[in-house]
Amino acid sequence: MSEMTIQPKERFKFLKEFIGAFRLMHFLPVMTVTTIGTCIAILTLKGTSTFSELFQDFSSGTIQIAALIFFILTIFFQEAFCGIQNDYIDRDIDLKYNKSKAIPDGWVSATFAFWFSIICFVLFTGFSIGVGFWSETNFWGILFIQGANLLGVFYNLYAKHRPISIIPYMLGFPLIPTYVWITFGGFELMYLWMLPVLFIVSFPAHIANELPDYDLDLEYGNRNFAVFLGKKFSTILYWLGVVLIEVIVVIVYIIYNFNTWAFIGTIVLSLLFGIAAFIMLWKKKWETDLLVFNLVTACIGVEVIGFFVMFGL
């Protein structure tokens, strides 16, 4: 009888920790960065070939599919590591802020978060070593991804609650295409557009993430980038970033005469998320909350991914 009552509880605990693990790693931002990296990698591998020719290269072994898979998993687990470490370090602050994050909300324990972060670190390091066997620069990419990861650690341990909190984002986003080129080569001059786009992305992505906690950051003396700028100016700045990315998408489409349907799809879908975010922001009297942040994240995700898709079609 006791065995029958224990088993459902154990199953529920496993399910709770499984869902909590995804909440802990900040799954939406992790998937956004991973998808961006994947799009750039496929674009780079494709070069001037058609997508059907690229798939033929994969199937024939001309391009090793394992290299791409290991590359994607490297980015995924590296981003997951930073997200988990962030919540583990801030677990006491999150209790004060009364956030519904995985640790203070009881979905996972601090011990679980610590060991899960270690596992993700080992996994992304291991996959980056695997990528090295096919990399254009052999194993130098391992040092590169560890250096990029240090930016995330620097943010988590020091910069997060200071005015320089934006710097790891400004430097980190442009490192995504750089890591692709170090791994697969294939750089073309027009790809330089990726660097300013991803640099600009850092502003709406980061500021919209900080603003939901603005009042509590003021109360507890955490003077991050948004607090340093002020709520009104921060809100204006991150929306300028969203609009500027949209403008660059239009400019690049006009200059290179890219696929019209990819352009229309990017503009329409990003505008839907952007308008929804703006309406919610207006309804909440210009207070950026978690819902607005998620809508803005979806908007810039569509803008950036659509931007790369245009290059590939």
Side-chain angles (χ1 to χ4, degrees), residues 8-150:
K9 288 182 180 180
E10 289 299 318
R11 284 197 295 269
F12 176 74
K13 181 183 177 184
F14 172 79
L15 180 62
K16 189 175 182 181
E17 287 185 341
F18 181 77
I19 297 171
F22 283 94
R23 294 183 62 193
L24 189 64
M25 69 169 65
H26 300 243
F27 188 68
L28 178 60
V30 166
M31 284 307 301
T32 300
V33 174
T34 304
T35 304
I36 289 171
T38 302
C39 288
I40 301 172
I42 291 173
L43 173 65
T44 299
L45 288 169
K46 174 182 168 294
T48 57
S49 304
T50 63
F51 278 108
S52 61
E53 289 171 339
L54 174 64
F55 292 129
Q56 286 174 9
D57 289 339
F58 280 141
S59 60
S60 66
T62 307
I63 298 174
Q64 293 289 341
I65 189 68
L68 179 60
I69 293 172
F70 279 25
F71 176 85
I72 293 168
L73 291 173
T74 298
I75 295 179
F76 178 86
F77 284 110
Q78 185 275 321
E79 287 295 306
F81 165 76
C82 285
I84 297 163
Q85 186 194 57
N86 176 70
D87 277 15
Y88 176 76
I89 291 169
D90 277 358
R91 61 192 184 280
D92 294 331
I93 293 176
D94 289 341
L95 279 172
K96 291 179 183 177
Y97 279 35
N98 194 30
K99 291 181 179 177
S100 57
K101 288 197 173 180
I103 298 175
D105 203 27
W107 283 78
V108 296
S109 65
T111 303
F112 177 94
F114 174 81
W115 287 110
F116 190 29
S117 70
I118 297 297
I119 290 169
C120 287
F121 180 86
V122 171
L123 284 172
F124 95 73
T125 301
F127 284 123
S128 72
I129 294 171
V131 170
F133 287 101
W134 294 282
S135 174
E136 291 285 321
T137 54
N138 296 321
F139 295 99
W140 287 105
I142 302 168
L143 294 179
F144 185 90
I145 196 67
Q146 291 295 341
N149 186 63
L150 283 176

Side-chain angles (χ1 to χ4, degrees), residues 162-183:
R162 291 174 170 81
I164 60 171
S165 62
I166 187 68
I167 292 178
Y169 280 76
M170 290 167 54
L171 298 176
F173 276 107
L175 291 181
I176 302 171
T178 309
Y179 182 45
V180 174
W181 300 326
I182 285 173
T183 303

Side-chain angles (χ1 to χ4, degrees), residues 274-293:
I275 291 169
F278 193 81
I279 290 172
M280 292 306 301
L281 185 67
W282 171 66
K283 283 188 173 183
K284 295 176 185 296
K285 299 180 179 179
W286 312 111
E287 296 284 338
T288 301
D289 63 2
L290 190 59
L291 175 59
V292 174
F293 164 68

